[in-house]
């Protein structure tokens, strides 16, 4: 679907409301966080969500992310649900989402899955990555493999070695699909999840210079810049952001600029959107 202007503006309001709850819980629990990705671009240029964007991304170092998973449920308002493998065993996501109850943001790729489909803010774990470029590439390759195994245990997304459960199969070679199929055939999802996180966190005990969402090569931030965050305005509230935010963003987005041409204004318009499902049941 495409957004009507009024729906996108209303979605922004809901996203700010959810982010405010995430920030409140982080402050109550003294859990450091930072906005990242497209949300960091919005903070830099717009003091809020980029006008055509439709999500908010929050990052945390692995130790703080694990604390959030443990401690947030006791403090989150009843209006929200913390989705991760520990609360929703069939989630396709290796990261967490804070979702607003009684809303819908049904993404096309996941529309047939029996999961909580509420409007959400993403919570990404950042892990240390090796300083060596070769080790970094090898680590990322292994991380991607185990993340694909975690998803593939629940939903098959590719053309080969199984029945694809989405309309447009994701690109992957027959050999890659066969390797994933071999793992999901012999390991439980819980075992895959544990192995995936062991691989993601392999370098967390090392004195490395950068952290990363391990499967995303460009999303790297200097450790010093998330250990010394700054406050920035975002949607009428003050949030934590990486120090030297423009340096981080220009690594991630080499063509970073305040305004993109319309053809580059990409978002994630959902298969179905609802701001209050309780009214739909009346």
């Amino acid at each position: 679907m495409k957004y009507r202007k009024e729906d996108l503006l209303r979605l922004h309001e809901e996203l700010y409301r959810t982010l405010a709850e995430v920030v409140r819980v982080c402050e109550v629990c003294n859990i450091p966080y930072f906005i990242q990705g497209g949300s960091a671009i919005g903070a830099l240029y717009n003091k809020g969500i980029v006008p055509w964007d439709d999500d908010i991304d929050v990052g945390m170092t692995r130790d703080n992310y694990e604390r959030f998973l443990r401690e947030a449920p006791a403090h989150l308002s009843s209006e929200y649900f913390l989705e991760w493998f520990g609360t929703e065993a069939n989630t396709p996501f290796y990261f967490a989402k804070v979702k607003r109850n009684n809303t819908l943001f049904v993404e096309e790729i996941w529309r047939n899955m029996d999961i909580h489909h509420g409007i959400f803010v993403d919570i990404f774990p950042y892990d240390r990555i090796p300083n060596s470029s070769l080790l970094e590439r090898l680590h990322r390759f292994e991380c991607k493999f185990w993340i694909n195994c975690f998803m593939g245990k629940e939903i098959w997304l590719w053309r080969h070695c199984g029945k694809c459960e989405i309309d447009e199969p994701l690109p992957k070679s027959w050999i890659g699909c066969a390797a994933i199929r071999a793992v999901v055939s012999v390991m439980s999802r819980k075992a895959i999840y544990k192995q995936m996180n062991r691989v993601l966190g392999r370098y967390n005990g090392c004195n490395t210079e950068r952290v990363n969402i391990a499967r995303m090569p460009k999303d790297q931030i200097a450790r010093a810049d998330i250990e010394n965050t700054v406050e920035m305005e975002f949607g009428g509230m003050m949030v934590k952001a990486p120090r030297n935010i423009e340096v981080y963003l220009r690594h991630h987005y080499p063509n970073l600029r305040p305004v993109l041409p319309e053809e580059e204004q990409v978002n994630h318009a959902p298969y179905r959107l609802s701001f209050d499902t309780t009214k739909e049941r009346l």
Side-chain angles (χ1 to χ4, degrees):
M1 62 170 279
K2 292 184 178 180
Y3 290 108
R4 297 182 301 171
K5 182 177 180 180
E6 59 267 30
D7 286 341
L8 187 55
L9 291 174
R10 173 73 185 279
L11 177 60
H12 286 183
E13 293 175 2
E14 293 291 341
L15 290 171
Y16 288 136
R17 186 175 178 181
T18 303
L19 176 63
E21 179 66 4
V22 171
V23 170
R24 184 190 68 80
V25 170
C26 286
E27 290 175 347
V28 167
C29 298
N30 195 27
I31 297 175
Y33 73 93
F34 51 92
I35 56 169
Q36 54 94 208
S39 300
I41 295 176
L44 180 63
Y45 290 130
N46 306 98
K47 297 185 178 181
I49 301 172
V50 173
W52 59 85
D53 204 359
D54 57 1
D55 66 357
I56 291 178
D57 299 323
V58 171
M60 299 176 183
T61 59
R62 175 65 64 173
D63 55 342
N64 290 318
Y65 173 82
E66 296 293 343
R67 279 188 58 209
F68 188 83
L69 297 185
R70 292 193 305 270
E71 299 177 24
H75 299 280
L76 276 172
S77 161
S78 60
E79 297 177 25
Y80 297 95
F81 172 69
L82 176 60
E83 179 192 59
W84 66 286
F85 179 60
T87 59
E88 189 152 66
N90 61 333
T91 178
F93 309 112
Y94 71 97
F95 52 94
K97 293 173 178 276
V98 174
K99 296 189 169 183
R100 185 165 169 77
N101 295 325
N102 299 317
T103 65
L104 287 175
F105 189 97
V106 183
E107 298 175 272
E108 177 76 27
I109 191 172
W110 315 119
R111 72 178 192 270
N112 294 322
M113 295 195 71
D114 183 19
I115 59 174
H116 191 303
H117 286 287
I119 293 169
F120 60 86
V121 165
D122 287 325
I123 313 292
F124 287 102
Y126 274 71
D127 294 289
R128 297 186 187 186
I129 55 176
N131 295 329
S132 160
S133 58
L134 175 59
L135 289 179
E136 178 195 333
R137 289 195 299 272
L138 292 172
H139 183 231
R140 184 172 300 109
F141 177 83
E142 192 175 358
C143 289
K144 287 181 177 180
F145 173 74
W146 285 102
I147 289 169
N148 283 332
C149 290
F150 179 71
M151 291 190 296
K153 187 71 175 182
E154 189 62 36
I155 180 171
W156 199 255
L157 304 171
W158 309 281
R159 187 181 307 280
H160 309 291
C161 304
K163 181 181 179 182
C164 184
E165 299 174 65
I166 59 176
D167 293 339
E168 296 292 332
L170 300 185
K172 185 151 310 279
S173 69
W174 185 91
I175 293 174
C177 290
I180 296 168
R181 176 58 69 189
V183 168
V184 302
S185 297
V186 299
M187 292 180 68
S188 69
R189 200 151 195 257
K190 184 175 182 180
I192 293 172
Y193 181 78
K194 288 182 176 180
Q195 176 61 18
M196 174 185 71
N197 283 330
R198 278 194 289 267
V199 172
L200 288 167
R202 175 176 295 149
Y203 293 95
N204 282 340
C206 302
N207 187 26
T208 69
E209 297 174 355
R210 297 160 296 156
V211 294
N212 193 193
I213 301 176
R215 69 175 297 173
M216 301 179 185
K218 295 180 179 180
D219 209 347
Q220 300 179 12
I221 309 177
R223 279 179 53 206
D225 288 342
I226 61 168
E227 291 169 357
N228 299 277
T229 55
V230 297
E231 285 200 332
M232 299 186 73
E233 184 178 347
F234 191 82
M237 68 188 95
M238 300 303 292
V239 300
K240 303 293 185 181
R243 187 184 63 179
N244 298 318
I245 189 170
E246 190 167 353
V247 173
Y248 149 61
L249 287 173
R250 288 199 179 280
H251 185 278
H252 193 167
Y253 308 95
N255 296 320
L256 181 71
R257 51 203 190 277
V259 179
L260 294 179
E262 188 171 350
E263 62 271 16
E264 295 182 33
Q265 296 180 10
V266 178
N267 56 37
H268 314 85
Y271 174 76
R272 186 180 173 201
L273 177 66
S274 174
F275 299 109
D276 190 348
T277 57
T278 61
K279 292 182 179 178
E280 294 179 4
R281 293 197 293 266
L282 294 178

